[in-house]
Amino acid sequence: MGGFSLTDKTEKKGVFQKFLDVVERVGNKLPDPFALFLGLAFLIIVISWAFSLFDASVIHPGNGEELPINSLISGEGLQFILTSMLDNFTGFAPLGLVLSMMLGIGLAEKVGLLDYAIRKTILKSPPFLVTYTVVFVGIMGNLASDAAAVIIPPLGALVFYKLGRHPLAGLAAGFAGAGAGFTANLFIAGTDVLLSGISTEAARLIDDTIVITPVDNWYFNIISVFMLTIIGGLLTSRFVEPRLGEYKGEGIEGEDSEELPNAKKGLIAAIVTGVVYWAVIIAVILLPNSPLTNEEGGIIPSPFIDGIVPIILIFFILIGIAFGITTGKIKSTKDATYYMTESIKDMAGYIVLVFAIAQFIAYFNWSNLGTWLAVNGAEFLESVEFTGIGLIIGYVIFTALLNFLITSGSAKWAIEAPIFVPMFMQLGYDPAFTQAAYRIADSSINIITPLFPYMVIILAFMKRYDKNASIGTYMSLMLPYSLVFLLAWIILLGVFYFTGLPLGPGVSTFLEDRVQ
């Protein structure tokens, strides 16, 4: 494990690089992440008590229910703390996702499949294309929902390591695509379906005939994919990687091992196994009344999308076993179990950290502080009475800041949509345009908010290459992507605003132009 630090470089730096160095130094002086999140949980306890002294409450804009600020320093609060502690931990959604995916990915890694496949395929492509490919795959990975944040970044790190480049740059590029670029895609994803449904309900407060469809932001999302891929690739190769400098760490165990016997045959066996597996999945999808499709025969939404993580998990396990058996790395079921166990051992630090962050998020939600801050902040923005593009930019910035309090995209939109969709409709804006403004703010800031559950996953992966990596290192890596993506997206939104380009089929900036 290497002890390399980003601050080891001493050459002359620009203003922004110096700013990032300050971010790194300050961030790394913070307590250990476990202690930090325990401290934040305690802070929420105290704040919830202070708010409750004034009988603070908020009206939920979606259902009209009055939500009091629940004090965690109370009999009911103490009961919640004690009775929910284990459920908060074991019920923390990313925990099961991460550990499950690491069973499959870890097996494929430990038997040497990923190492060999990367060396024989990706590493032979032009190096400059690899950077853009990692970002692009990360963006497109949102078809698999949150699984992309677990799969793409470590593979990006491994690709860069094999190319002799800094693995943290590959990790950052992959996570920028999967996290900050989450809302963009060339295809219609589950996010489009989820958000459009909420938007429709909010829009019907003004027009009970309007329908916001999953394709209403499609053209905007397609352009976003190529824009973010180019920007992410340039940021990585021209800024992030030079700042990191030469990698002097030791990498991870097993990355420099000699080529396995029969490795080529093993790769062929893995490919054949993977192709057969996906052929079976596709065949099941195409069956009449398929159990993997919805009632209309589509796959968005469907049991296939809901079960995409187990489907990918099984895929990695099968190709890992095929490679391992062919190369002799797996001679019995005990060997496969051993490799999966070793991959989970690598995630021990993440499991410990999840305990603290799960309590913090649970306390924040139970107290209703997030909803109170969101609703009151939205009302303040409405009272400012911005007009034109200034209003849109103000709303984007507001949502970006709100992401530090509520990271769930659907939950935040459920709170914002009943307020902003009708308000913007009154000003002539199409709900799809408001939805697009929301999505760019929500997506780009994901990767720099401490509440984003996949931050701790990336920290765990970072420590595999740099044992000294901490929150400051993480923030200094991801902040450029977050800020530049947001700025570029605002400019793109402005282009659609001023030119009247369609956001999707029959939909543009203004409500009067909508084709029903």
Side-chain angles (χ1 to χ4, degrees):
M1 303 283 284
F4 177 76
S5 171
L6 303 188
T7 53
D8 288 343
K9 291 177 68 64
T10 57
E11 70 270 15
K12 187 176 180 180
K13 300 178 180 180
V15 174
F16 190 58
Q17 288 180 320
K18 291 179 180 178
F19 168 72
L20 293 178
D21 287 344
V22 172
V23 170
E24 181 187 3
R25 287 195 297 269
V26 172
N28 286 343
K29 288 181 180 179
L30 292 172
D32 177 81
F34 182 84
L36 178 62
F37 279 105
L38 284 183
L40 290 173
F42 178 76
L43 183 62
I44 292 299
I45 291 174
V46 174
I47 293 175
S48 70
W49 168 75
F51 269 63
S52 70
L53 293 179
F54 297 95
D55 295 322
S57 63
V58 61
I59 302 298
H60 193 289
N63 55 31
E65 179 184 357
E66 182 177 4
L67 302 176
I69 301 300
N70 297 317
S71 172
L72 286 153
I73 302 181
S74 64
E76 187 180 5
L78 179 60
Q79 290 176 0
F80 174 78
I81 290 173
L82 295 178
T83 60
S84 70
M85 187 173 293
L86 297 182
D87 289 338
N88 296 340
F89 177 46
T90 59
F92 190 64
L95 179 63
L97 168 64
V98 172
L99 296 185
S100 297
M101 290 306 303
M102 287 309 299
L103 287 174
I105 295 174
L107 174 64
E109 177 188 338
K110 296 296 182 181
V111 298
L113 170 58
L114 297 184
D115 176 89
Y116 183 79
I118 288 171
R119 282 192 285 111
K120 295 300 181 182
T121 55
I122 299 177
L123 299 186
K124 291 185 178 180
S125 63
F128 79 94
L129 285 180
V130 171
T131 306
Y132 297 92
T133 300
V134 170
V135 178
F136 175 79
V137 172
I139 295 171
M140 294 298 295
N142 78 62
L143 284 170
S145 190
D146 293 343
V150 182
I151 299 172
I152 307 304
L155 292 182
L158 195 55
V159 168
F160 273 50
Y161 179 83
K162 289 301 179 181
L163 284 170
R165 300 167 65 180
H166 204 297
L168 293 189
L171 187 80
F175 193 53
F182 181 81
T183 200
N185 210 288
L186 299 180
F187 305 102
I188 303 303
T191 303
D192 299 287
V193 178
L194 179 63
L195 296 183
S196 64
I198 298 173
S199 299
T200 297
E201 292 301 315
R204 287 182 174 176
L205 294 174
I206 300 297
D207 181 353
D208 59 8
T209 65
I210 195 168
V211 176
I212 313 304
T213 72
V215 300
D216 279 7
N217 288 152
W218 192 20
Y219 300 161
F220 182 81
N221 289 344
I222 290 174
I223 295 175
S224 296
V225 169
F226 296 107
M227 179 187 74
L228 297 182
T229 297
I230 294 171
I231 292 174
L234 289 173
L235 269 176
T236 303
S237 59
R238 302 289 179 86
F239 184 82
V240 174
E241 201 166 4
R243 181 171 178 271
L244 284 165
E246 181 183 358
Y247 181 61
K248 300 176 182 178
E250 299 174 9
I252 60 177
E253 183 181 352
E255 285 187 335
D256 294 315
S257 58
E258 295 182 0
E259 185 172 307
L260 293 167
N262 297 320
K264 185 176 181 179
K265 291 182 179 178
L267 181 60
I268 294 173
I271 293 173
V272 171
T273 300
V275 170
V276 171
Y277 173 74
W278 284 109
V280 171
I281 296 293
I282 293 172
V284 174
I285 291 174
L286 295 177
L287 286 174
N289 300 316
S290 170
L292 294 183
T293 61
N294 56 36
E295 294 180 356
E296 290 74 32
I299 61 171
I300 299 177
S302 69
F304 171 75
I305 296 297
D306 293 340
I308 192 67
V309 171
I311 289 172
I312 294 175
L313 165 63
I314 296 170
F315 166 73
F316 275 106
I317 290 177
L318 289 177
I319 63 174
I321 290 175
F323 184 87
I325 291 175
T326 306
T327 58
K329 292 282 285 186
I330 295 179
K331 296 182 174 66
S332 69
T333 55
K334 290 182 179 179
D335 293 329
T337 303
Y338 169 77
Y339 291 127
M340 288 190 284
T341 301
E342 289 298 304
S343 68
I344 295 299
K345 283 183 180 179
D346 293 340
M347 301 304 296
Y350 166 72
I351 296 172
V352 172
L353 184 55
V354 160
F355 180 83
I357 194 173
Q359 308 310 319
F360 165 61
I361 292 176
Y363 297 169
F364 195 74
N365 292 337
W366 185 84
S367 66
N368 291 324
L369 282 171
T371 305
W372 186 93
L373 290 168
V375 172
N376 283 276
E379 291 176 351
F380 169 77
L381 185 60
E382 184 178 4
S383 69
V384 174
E385 296 182 351
F386 275 129
T387 58
I389 193 64
L391 171 65
I392 302 302
I393 294 175
Y395 170 64
V396 169
I397 294 174
F398 166 77
T399 298
L401 295 175
L402 188 61
N403 218 18
F404 286 92
L405 303 174
I406 305 173
T407 57
S408 170
S410 58
K412 192 157 62 265
W413 187 230
I415 292 172
E416 289 192 32
I419 299 171
F420 290 105
V421 168
M423 181 179 75
F424 284 12
M425 287 178 70
Q426 297 280 48
L427 297 173
Y429 296 109
D430 193 286
F433 183 73
T434 308
Q435 179 180 274
Y438 166 80
R439 295 177 71 164
I440 66 175
D442 172 64
S443 185
S444 57
I445 302 300
N446 270 338
I447 57 176
I448 60 170
T449 169
L451 290 177
F452 191 50
Y454 297 100
M455 170 191 275
V456 295
I457 299 171
I458 301 305
L459 275 172
F461 287 133
M462 287 174 64
K463 287 182 178 293
R464 302 177 74 183
Y465 296 96
D466 178 7
K467 66 181 180 180
N468 296 321
S470 190
I471 290 178
T473 312
Y474 170 91
M475 291 296 290
S476 66
L477 274 177
M478 303 315 304
L479 191 61
Y481 294 102
S482 186
L483 296 181
V484 175
F485 276 22
L486 179 59
L487 178 60
W489 247 330
I490 289 175
I491 294 173
L492 180 63
L493 194 68
V495 170
F496 275 81
Y497 177 90
F498 288 112
T499 63
L501 288 171
L503 296 160
V507 177
S508 61
T509 303
F510 298 102
L511 192 57
E512 62 184 14
D513 298 326
R514 170 175 283 267
V515 177
Q516 294 284 16

